[in-house]
Every structure is written in C-alpha cells, then in structure tokens.
Amino acid sequence: DAYIEVNKSVANKKETVHWFYSAAYLSRCINETCVFLDQPFLLSISNAMDFLDQALKLEPTFNNAYLLKGMIAELDSNLKKDAEAYYSIALEQMYGKRYASYPYYIVGRYYEKVKKKREKAVELYTRSLNLNNFEYRAIYKLAMLERKKEKYTSALERFKMICNILSDKQAENYLQ
C-alpha cells in the first residue's frame, strides 16, 4: 500500500529527493522479502536504481542513496558485483560521522556474507562500534565471529554488552 501511495504522487508532480529515495527503499523492502521467500522480484530492480539516480541528480551528496544502491545491488545477481562500489562511495562521504555507524555495519555484513572477507568485516563492525558504542548489531556480529575463533570469553563479554543495551532500550521504551 505504501508503494502504491508513493507512486500516486508521481501523477501530482511531487517528486523530490526523498520521494525517489522512499520509492527505492520500499522497492528494496518488497524485493528483499521476495528473496527471503525464494520468490521472483515483484518490483523492477532497475526502476529502484533509476529512482536513486534521480535522487542523486537532485542532490549529488545524498550519501544514503549510495548506501541504498549497494543494498539493492546485493539483491540482484547481475548487480551484486557493483554493490561494493556503491558502498565505497557511501562510506567515503560518511567517513567519521556518528550517523555512519549503521552503514558501517551494513557494509561489514556485505563483506562477511557476500565477499567472505571476515577481517574486512571485523574492521567495519569495529568502526561501527567506535562511532556508536550502542550499535548492538555490530557487537553481535563481532561476538559471533569471536565465538567462531573460539574466543569465548570476549564473545561472552560482547553478548553481555548486548543484554545491557537492550535492557536499557526496553526500560526507556525504545524499540530500534
């Protein structure tokens, strides 16, 4: 329904950077669900990439568009090789910014799962954690990698950190 509503705004000529980004993001979410369910894509990957190209024409430094291009490219076997370049541009533009914690985690996950470069993934998860020591996703990934290396004590410490972070979030009624 959200995707349909976003597309209705095309008829009203309300296309903005954020409109293009939202359309691409919704497309990614829908197609990511298709991948999870082992079904064909419902929405065109090339349309989603075109939406992001339009956003970048309007605002060339919109670094989240590059990050999303990487995430969308990962979904498509023909574009997967391009994901690294998109991620590289995004991280270059976000370098050192506190809000880049989650993008560093996303790119770390890419290096771990797709490229099979665990050391690079550890570097990116660590950078994510250095920017935001409450980034429990990065802590989890580091803990799991330490567990695989049989570094059980440090893995356990990381799992305790996650429990404390999530406990604090629950106490403050913070869901993300």
Side-chain angles (χ1 to χ4, degrees):
D1 291 344
Y3 188 80
I4 292 168
E5 288 301 315
V6 165
N7 279 317
K8 282 182 184 176
S9 68
V10 172
N12 298 330
K13 304 288 186 213
K14 294 183 180 178
E15 296 169 340
T16 66
V17 169
H18 296 96
W19 180 91
F20 286 121
Y21 182 84
S22 296
Y25 184 83
L26 289 169
S27 179
R28 180 195 66 91
C29 291
I30 291 166
N31 286 337
E32 196 170 70
T33 302
C34 294
V35 169
F36 179 74
L37 297 173
D38 199 25
Q39 298 294 315
F41 293 136
L42 288 175
L43 301 172
S44 166
I45 293 289
S46 64
N47 282 353
M49 296 300 257
D50 289 344
F51 288 144
L52 293 170
D53 288 339
Q54 291 297 320
L56 288 165
K57 281 182 187 173
L58 294 172
E59 192 175 322
T61 60
F62 188 42
N63 48 37
N64 281 339
Y66 289 108
L67 184 70
L68 187 54
K69 284 186 93 156
M71 295 168 83
I72 292 170
E74 270 192 77
L75 296 175
D76 188 303
S77 58
N78 295 324
L79 296 176
K80 195 173 279 204
K81 65 187 179 320
D82 299 333
E84 186 173 11
Y86 295 129
Y87 286 143
S88 178
I89 294 167
L91 292 184
E92 183 180 303
Q93 291 183 357
M94 295 180 194
Y95 184 78
K97 296 189 169 83
R98 184 171 167 82
Y99 65 81
S101 175
Y102 183 68
Y104 276 108
Y105 159 76
I106 291 292
V107 180
R109 195 180 66 185
Y110 167 77
Y111 276 97
E112 180 184 1
K113 299 292 183 191
V114 176
K115 302 295 269 185
K116 307 293 185 207
K117 294 182 178 179
R118 287 200 174 111
E119 292 308 313
K120 179 71 173 176
V122 167
E123 175 190 325
L124 291 162
Y125 294 145
T126 302
R127 198 170 288 171
S128 170
L129 191 54
N130 288 340
L131 290 171
N132 177 2
N133 58 356
F134 296 107
E135 183 54 73
Y136 61 90
R137 297 170 199 92
I139 298 169
Y140 175 79
K141 288 295 197 173
L142 289 167
M144 294 302 291
L145 290 168
E146 287 173 347
R147 192 183 85 168
K148 283 181 183 177
K149 291 181 179 179
E150 298 182 2
K151 295 181 177 181
Y152 299 117
T153 303
S154 58
L156 182 60
E157 289 304 313
R158 291 197 189 275
F159 286 126
K160 286 179 185 178
M161 288 172 62
I162 294 169
C163 290
N164 290 333
I165 290 168
L166 295 178
S167 177
D168 290 347
K169 287 183 178 222
Q170 182 182 14
E172 295 174 18
N173 201 22
Y174 182 72
L175 301 176
Q176 177 61 357

